[in-house]
Amino acid sequence: MATTNNDKYVKLWQELNFKNVAIDYASTNEANDNNKYWIPYNKGGGYRKWYGLMSMTYFWKNDGEEIKSYLKSVIANEQFYMREGTTWGHISSHSFSGRYFGKGFIFDNAGNCLFSDEKGALISCFS
């Protein structure tokens, strides 16, 4: 995903009313059905091993209707939104630093992601 308008669509969760943030939802539809339009967002970040850098949220109301209508945006791989996985930054000044994230996240082109099936077999990797 690339918003091309982060000032409008990306916020720190601390900037929002916490009751509007979708925490631990299994799908964007489930979050929206509960009036949770701000979805946790993996957006790369600095060097951090194992866990962390989960402070961003993304506005995803009505299946991303507004961002999808924004001509410069790029939406890809929606079928993997909200799945648990491993992420790492696209650009790093240190060595590789993969971080686990649980269900309920959207990701973008700076937050590479790896996903596996229930048995641990790799099913997809985006970078």
Side-chain angles (χ1 to χ4, degrees):
M1 173 187 312
T3 70
T4 67
N5 191 348
N6 285 353
D7 289 341
K8 183 173 184 177
Y9 298 111
V10 178
K11 301 288 181 200
L12 293 168
W13 63 263
Q14 302 95 305
E15 296 178 73
L16 305 168
N17 183 330
F18 196 69
K19 71 177 185 173
N20 297 324
V21 180
I23 302 296
D24 205 32
Y25 282 86
S27 72
T28 55
N29 289 334
E30 179 187 0
N32 279 204
D33 288 348
N34 287 286
N35 297 316
K36 310 285 185 177
Y37 304 123
W38 290 94
I39 310 292
Y41 187 42
N42 278 323
K43 190 169 173 42
Y47 180 78
R48 178 81 49 94
K49 288 200 301 187
W50 314 121
Y51 192 81
L53 298 176
M54 299 177 179
S55 59
M56 306 300 277
T57 61
Y58 190 79
F59 185 70
W60 195 259
K61 185 176 183 178
N62 298 327
D63 198 32
E65 178 180 54
E66 186 173 331
I67 187 66
K68 287 177 179 178
S69 68
Y70 191 69
L71 296 177
K72 295 180 182 181
S73 69
V74 176
I75 308 297
N77 304 304
E78 282 184 71
Q79 69 272 26
F80 291 97
Y81 289 1
M82 311 300 274
R83 293 184 67 150
E84 74 176 316
T86 301
T87 187
W88 63 97
H90 186 70
I91 299 171
S92 177
S93 60
H94 284 89
S95 59
F96 177 78
S97 63
R99 297 176 302 279
Y100 168 79
F101 61 94
K103 70 179 179 182
F105 283 80
I106 292 177
F107 56 92
D108 80 354
N109 59 334
N112 302 318
C113 292
L114 176 115
F115 300 97
S116 63
D117 65 14
E118 299 79 32
K119 296 177 183 173
L122 175 67
I123 57 170
S124 197
C125 182
F126 303 103
S127 61

